[in-house]
Amino acid sequence: MSAVDDWLAGILGRAPSDAAPFHRALTHGSQAAENYERLEFLGDRVLGLIMAEWLWEQFPAEPEGQLSRRLNSLVTGAVCADVARDLGVREHLRLGKQARDDGASDSDNVLGDVMEALIGAWYREAGLEAARAFIHKSWGDRVHSQGKAPQHPKSALQEWAAAHNRKAPEYVVVDRSGPHHAPRFTVAVRIGRTAEVTATGANKQEAETAAAKAMLAKLKA
């Protein structure tokens, strides 16, 4: 077997019968037209279903809202990227020269998408039960490490504004930079006349979340 195939056998528990989809899952669009994007689309949905089921089983007393917050915090691109790093995905990425030079091998966007693509490929090969086992093993104790279900920073900031009779937070994208595979968004948030706070992220949602978190820290300082 090749080094990639040997690695796949190690993380999956056995060598895939058809390695081609897994090689595609590790291929960035800068390297080939046959890349991870379609498998990422599938894997994202498989991950969401299995994670929702897992949380539903592990936290039987929690209502839908708390389970949703847990789910959203566990399937973000950043968490998927961290899981990918733990599994050693970076060493097996297939990237074009420009993407390598731009640092795509450590991009949360790229690693997170590749992680979901690998899930999609494994689901197609081995079915839902095998995908469930792979996700449970790969995410490990992340499901239980949060303790209380986290409140999303944007929701917390919205509640703060309502409790203090302030206008609802306003989010504005003030800058977008970086290459296509690893963009950086800068978002400003303000509440009425409260001083503006900015933050960056790999996408608009991530930047808004970071801005809300920074604003909460400022308001509570």
Side-chain angles (χ1 to χ4, degrees):
M1 292 191 297
S2 70
V4 173
D5 294 336
D6 189 50
W7 169 74
L8 286 168
I11 67 169
L12 296 172
R14 67 168 174 82
S17 58
D18 181 6
F22 296 89
H23 288 218
R24 191 178 310 128
L26 293 162
T27 301
H28 187 259
S30 63
Q31 173 68 23
E34 288 291 318
N35 56 64
Y36 60 65
E37 291 177 357
R38 281 176 53 83
L39 284 166
E40 181 268 329
F41 167 81
L42 177 62
D44 175 65
R45 276 68 183 174
V46 175
L47 174 61
L49 170 62
I50 290 173
M51 190 61 68
E53 175 192 60
W54 194 4
L55 293 171
W56 186 83
E57 292 171 346
Q58 293 298 310
F59 303 97
E62 289 192 353
E64 181 271 341
Q66 288 178 309
L67 292 175
S68 293
R69 289 197 292 273
R70 287 188 186 275
L71 175 66
N72 291 337
S73 70
L74 286 164
V75 300
T76 65
V79 172
C80 289
D82 283 343
V83 173
R85 291 185 183 96
D86 289 347
L87 294 177
V89 167
R90 284 183 296 184
E91 289 73 19
H92 303 286
L93 289 175
R94 298 179 62 209
L95 303 166
K97 182 180 183 303
Q98 188 61 55
R100 285 198 305 272
D101 292 346
D102 289 337
S105 63
D106 200 37
S107 162
D108 279 0
N109 279 358
V110 172
L111 289 171
D113 287 351
V114 169
M115 188 65 226
E116 291 179 336
L118 288 169
I119 291 170
W122 188 229
Y123 166 74
R124 289 283 294 167
E125 155 124 355
L128 187 62
E129 188 62 37
R132 181 184 292 113
F134 176 56
I135 289 169
H136 283 204
K137 180 180 178 182
S138 300
W139 261 253
D141 62 1
R142 286 176 173 85
V143 168
H144 296 282
S145 64
Q146 299 173 324
K148 183 180 178 181
Q151 183 176 28
H152 195 282
K154 289 181 68 176
S155 298
L157 187 58
Q158 181 85 19
E159 289 183 9
W160 184 94
H164 291 80
N165 296 315
R166 303 289 184 86
K167 292 183 178 180
E170 297 179 66
Y171 299 88
V172 179
V173 176
V174 296
D175 186 53
R176 185 191 186 283
S177 60
H180 174 72
H181 67 268
R184 298 298 295 173
F185 289 81
T186 300
V187 166
V189 61
R190 64 177 66 90
I191 300 177
R193 296 180 181 178
T194 301
E196 181 177 283
V197 173
T198 61
T200 62
N203 52 54
K204 181 181 175 183
Q205 183 178 19
E206 185 178 300
E208 288 181 351
T209 299
K213 188 174 181 180
M215 178 65 88
L216 285 167
K218 180 175 182 177
L219 293 170
K220 295 175 181 179

